Amino acid sequence: MISQPPMISVKNAKLTFGIKPLFVGLELNIVKGDKICLVGRNGSGKSTLLKVLSSVLEPDEAEIYVEPGIKISYMPQEADCLEQQTLRDIVLSGLEKYDPSLEYKADILINSFNIKQNQAPSESSGGEIKKAMLARALISDPDVLLLDEPTNHLDIETIEKLEDIINNFAGAVVVISHDKMFLNHVSKKTFWLDRGLLYTNNKGFAFFDEWQEQILEQEIIAQKYLNKKIDEEVEWLHKGVTARRKRNQGRLRRLEALRAERREQIKQVGSVNLEIETGELKSKLVIEAKHIFKSYGPRELVKDFSIRIMRGNRIGIVGPNGAGKTTLIKLLTKKIAPDAGFVRMGKNLTEAYFDQNRITLNPKKTLWKTLCNEGDHIWVRGHWRHVVAYLKDFLFKPEQADTPVSTLSGGEKNRLMLALALAQESNFLVLDEPTNDLDMDTLELLQEVLDEYEGTILIVSHDRDFMDKVATSLLYMKGDGTIYEHVGTYTALLEKLKNMPQKPQKKIQVKNEVKQEKQNNINKLSYKDKRLLEVLPDEINVLDLKIKDIEKILSEDVDLYTRDSKKFDELTLALDEAKRQKDEKETLWLEIEMKAEELG
């Protein structure tokens, strides 16, 4: 029973894509103060439902009531604002009508999210764009906030700010997210979209597991009672969910044993002696780094870091956006060289690398051909598997095997990319943000696969629950070049960091009347710095054009890898190098600008 009138009400909604209805007879109510999480498998229609609620998409049939005068703000999963000139322009585009007197709202949000407001979207990371999109959704003071995967690419500090915003939001919020801990912290009601039906529970996501099993049990009992043939998908889904949750405890016990083993390894190595021993320890060595440094211009990303990674370790790398996590992975895997110190890797390592921004899928190919171009079996980590059986492992239905990749949702595409990466023969797995856009079932499946993986794993992720259940230890990158290894859960690490005494930080104040003062300060710079201020913008523009040209070739020529893998590798290496140089030059230019201000 609804205690107050709904802000949004939907009755008998139907929407069909192709021949299969996405949902039929869907009903829901959203009232003021609701904090709703919308969950369901990839491809179940979660993002589509948000588009219907925001009037971006019209359903085939529906009775939709929206309270007169309310503002609905929708943040899509994918960036839809890359045509804007700056990140500040993205934020301001959330205003219904531009008014200079309202720019203070943008200033407040930009400061709160620490957005690089003058940076172009084309030069910004996924995290920076996501923060600007969040600010755009909030700037109009909406009554209803619809957020589709808002935590993707965000670091923990920003996720915690978003949690506070949602918890203090006076209106209603509907959020889609794969981040279980985030949903536990913000939701008070749950919508579960499953096989075209929407179930509602007046409790938050923390109660979802128990509630989901009850619904599946009731569905199976009802079908048996009516003497109907049990829907194989329902029974398979229920057995899969139940089995995975029963195995969770076993996985956690094994993880604790691995953490204890990692603690002993760190004790044996100590903080001084990192010389290689002979015999068994040497044969188990995967990576040894000793006193490595890495800087780009004046910015230190890695400062005097040493580590020894042994076979079977699962090392998570965490820290704020821009701290250098991807740089550290490249150093440890010898893709780039340190400025000082050394890195060496064990013999006979076979690496598999997953980065959803680098793996490309041909939209015209079927799922079958994507995994298995010839025949009907795929070689998966030392064993032949039928391609349909392997697709089922990753929660695809058998009939999807012959459908093109273009029909998949964003989350389903990521699931397919994971299937590709995890099929590779390897004993060393590198995962860069593997959890983005994955549904809960796929996250649990990924945890199972990693638990059974016998090799060594390096993982970058901001997902606290996932890291708690997968990583044996964590490398925390503060952002100033220092790296700290923590053996234990991500949750415990965050608590430890919150309780650490904070050092007072020097604040840089930006004055309004800066133009003339800035020119005076520039005149005090050395000749070299003044020259760099003149030439760096042009050099950055040249690199930006080069990056766009290479990205255009890689995106348009979808068959390049299969046709000419050498050229593909050359282009991807050139793209990485151009991005690195651009980042280095932008950082140097910013440092000189700041130096000019400080000279005043």
Side-chain angles (χ1 to χ4, degrees):
M1 184 175 179
I2 301 171
S3 58
Q4 54 182 309
M7 302 173 81
I8 300 176
S9 177
V10 178
K11 292 183 179 179
N12 297 318
K14 178 183 178 182
L15 183 62
T16 301
F17 285 148
I19 59 171
K20 184 179 178 182
L22 200 57
F23 42 79
V24 178
L26 183 144
E27 300 194 358
L28 62 84
N29 292 290
I30 299 172
V31 301
K32 186 175 182 178
D34 270 345
K35 303 294 189 296
I36 301 167
C37 65
L38 174 57
V39 299
R41 280 198 173 172
N42 292 140
S44 61
K46 302 187 298 296
S47 295
T48 302
L49 180 55
L50 279 199
K51 289 176 182 176
V52 169
L53 294 176
S54 62
S55 300
V56 172
L57 190 66
E58 287 287 329
D60 301 331
E61 301 172 13
E63 298 174 37
I64 300 178
Y65 166 80
V66 178
E67 182 183 335
I70 70 165
K71 293 180 184 176
I72 299 174
S73 189
Y74 164 61
M75 192 199 80
Q77 180 176 340
E78 302 295 335
D80 61 346
C81 49
L82 300 181
E83 76 285 352
Q84 299 288 348
Q85 295 296 309
T86 66
L87 296 181
R88 182 180 183 85
D89 291 334
I90 291 177
V91 179
L92 289 169
S93 68
L95 294 169
E96 291 179 300
K97 187 177 180 182
Y98 175 70
D99 183 345
S101 67
L102 297 178
E103 286 212 19
Y104 75 93
K105 291 186 174 183
D107 294 330
I108 292 170
L109 288 164
I110 286 167
N111 182 60
S112 176
F113 284 117
N114 195 23
I115 296 169
K116 299 174 182 175
Q117 59 176 330
N118 296 319
Q119 194 163 277
S122 60
E123 300 170 357
S124 303
S125 67
E128 284 296 326
I129 292 171
K130 185 68 78 172
K131 288 191 291 185
M133 290 173 66
L134 279 169
R136 179 186 66 176
L138 292 164
I139 195 171
S140 64
D141 298 319
D143 302 289
V144 179
L145 194 56
L146 307 175
L147 304 174
D148 194 347
E149 293 286 1
T151 64
N152 277 0
H153 308 293
L154 296 184
D155 56 29
I156 292 300
E157 183 181 354
T158 310
I159 290 172
E160 289 179 339
K161 284 180 184 176
L162 179 59
E163 289 175 356
D164 290 339
I165 288 169
I166 292 174
N167 287 324
N168 295 319
F169 190 74
V173 181
V174 184
V175 61
I176 298 170
S177 178
H178 67 274
D179 188 328
K180 292 183 179 181
M181 202 168 292
F182 171 74
L183 293 182
N184 284 342
H185 291 168
V186 302
S187 64
K188 296 178 181 176
K189 181 186 285 189
T190 305
F191 286 168
W192 178 31
L193 189 56
D194 180 53
R195 290 161 292 145
L197 301 176
L198 186 76
Y199 301 90
T200 301
N201 186 23
N202 290 319
K203 292 182 178 180
F205 182 76
F207 301 91
F208 176 71
D209 289 353
E210 179 184 350
W211 176 59
Q212 181 193 38
E213 285 205 35
Q214 288 174 355
I215 291 174
L216 292 171
E217 288 276 13
Q218 289 167 5
E219 192 171 344
I220 290 174
I221 291 169
Q223 287 176 332
K224 287 180 177 177
Y225 180 76
L226 293 171
N227 295 318
K228 290 183 178 180
K229 182 179 181 295
I230 297 175
D231 184 340
E232 290 181 2
E233 185 181 355
V234 178
E235 191 162 24
W236 169 71
L237 175 62
H238 176 255
K239 287 178 179 177
V241 166
T242 304
R244 278 195 299 275
R245 287 177 186 154
K246 284 180 179 176
R247 288 195 290 269
N248 276 348
Q249 293 305 313
R251 289 208 307 270
L252 289 173
R253 285 192 295 271
R254 172 172 157 77
L255 185 57
E256 280 305 316
L258 290 171
R259 283 177 179 150
E261 183 180 328
R262 181 63 185 162
R263 287 189 190 96
E264 288 303 312
Q265 289 169 357
I266 292 172
K267 284 179 186 176
Q268 290 168 16
V269 171
S271 59
V272 180
N273 179 24
L274 275 170
E275 293 304 315
I276 284 285
E277 292 90 346
T278 57
E280 184 181 2
L281 186 59
K282 183 175 180 179
S283 69
K284 290 183 178 180
L285 180 80
V286 175
I287 295 172
E288 183 186 37
K290 186 173 180 181
H291 301 302
I292 59 173
F293 291 76
K294 188 64 183 179
S295 299
Y296 287 124
R299 187 180 172 209
E300 286 185 309
L301 289 178
V302 178
K303 182 167 57 179
D304 195 18
F305 176 61
S306 299
I307 191 171
R308 180 180 289 171
I309 299 174
M310 309 304 292
R311 191 174 67 213
N313 288 163
R314 300 166 188 181
I315 310 294
I317 303 177
V318 298
N321 287 334
K325 298 185 291 294
T326 300
T327 298
L328 180 59
I329 280 184
K330 290 179 178 179
L331 286 167
L332 294 177
T333 55
K334 299 190 74 172
K335 289 179 175 60
I336 59 174
D339 300 332
F342 73 86
V343 176
R344 53 181 162 186
M345 302 178 73
K347 294 181 179 179
N348 303 319
L349 283 182
T350 307
E351 179 186 316
Y353 191 99
F354 174 82
D355 177 354
Q356 60 185 337
N357 295 319
R358 294 168 189 264
I359 298 177
T360 55
L361 297 173
N362 186 338
K364 297 178 182 178
K365 275 191 171 184
T366 64
L367 277 65
W368 183 308
K369 290 295 184 184
T370 298
L371 288 174
C372 180
N373 206 36
E374 299 291 337
D376 56 7
H377 279 72
I378 179 173
W379 185 255
V380 180
R381 299 188 301 278
H383 303 281
W384 285 106
R385 296 289 309 281
H386 193 280
V387 65
V388 174
Y390 187 59
L391 281 167
K392 285 177 72 176
D393 285 350
F394 284 83
L395 310 178
F396 290 104
K397 297 174 186 176
E399 58 266 30
Q400 287 181 283
D402 290 317
T403 59
V405 169
S406 59
T407 64
L408 300 180
S409 68
E412 286 175 317
K413 288 175 183 174
N414 285 350
R415 200 192 300 164
L416 182 60
M417 288 190 287
L418 269 175
L420 268 172
L422 295 172
Q424 296 176 41
E425 186 74 20
S426 71
N427 53 22
F428 179 38
L429 188 59
V430 181
L431 302 171
D432 197 350
E433 292 287 1
T435 62
N436 286 347
D437 303 325
L438 297 182
D439 57 37
M440 305 299 176
D441 288 338
T442 311
L443 278 172
E444 290 183 0
L445 169 71
L446 178 57
Q447 289 166 20
E448 279 196 24
V449 171
L450 297 183
D451 180 62
E452 294 168 0
Y453 187 76
E454 295 180 356
T456 305
I457 308 173
L458 280 181
I459 317 168
V460 175
S461 177
H462 297 296
D463 190 314
R464 292 159 287 183
D465 183 78
F466 178 77
M467 290 297 245
D468 281 355
K469 293 175 180 175
V470 169
T472 54
S473 69
L474 300 165
L475 299 179
Y476 173 67
M477 303 187 72
K478 188 177 177 182
D480 60 359
T482 57
I483 302 172
Y484 161 73
E485 183 167 8
H486 166 79
V487 181
T489 66
Y490 199 179
T491 304
L493 171 63
L494 291 171
E495 281 301 312
K496 186 181 288 188
L497 293 171
K498 284 178 184 176
N499 294 328
M500 281 183 177
Q502 297 295 313
K503 293 182 180 179
Q505 293 184 344
K506 183 179 179 182
K507 293 184 179 179
I508 299 172
Q509 294 184 344
V510 181
K511 299 178 181 178
N512 291 329
E513 54 283 318
V514 74
K515 210 166 188 179
Q516 185 59 45
E517 182 182 341
K518 185 174 177 182
Q519 186 57 49
N520 294 337
N521 294 341
I522 288 173
N523 291 335
K524 298 175 186 178
L525 292 172
S526 69
Y527 172 79
K528 179 182 176 183
D529 283 346
K530 283 191 280 187
R531 178 63 180 157
L532 284 170
L533 274 183
E534 292 175 8
V535 302
L536 280 173
D538 290 336
E539 292 177 1
I540 291 168
N541 285 335
V542 170
L543 287 167
D544 191 40
L545 290 172
K546 183 177 180 180
I547 289 167
K548 288 178 179 177
D549 288 343
I550 298 174
E551 287 178 337
K552 184 179 180 182
I553 294 170
L554 291 174
S555 63
E556 292 181 354
D557 193 350
V558 293
D559 295 321
L560 178 60
Y561 180 78
T562 53
R563 190 180 68 253
D564 190 346
S565 60
K566 184 178 179 182
K567 184 178 179 182
F568 179 87
D569 290 340
E570 288 173 352
L571 285 171
T572 53
L573 285 172
L575 181 62
D576 285 345
E577 178 61 19
K579 286 182 175 179
R580 186 195 67 75
Q581 289 182 20
K582 180 185 169 188
D583 182 63
E584 182 179 330
K585 290 178 187 295
E586 285 178 335
T587 302
L588 181 57
W589 181 85
L590 181 62
E591 293 286 344
I592 299 171
E593 283 274 296
M594 291 171 65
K595 188 191 295 185
E597 290 180 4
E598 289 173 356
L599 282 172

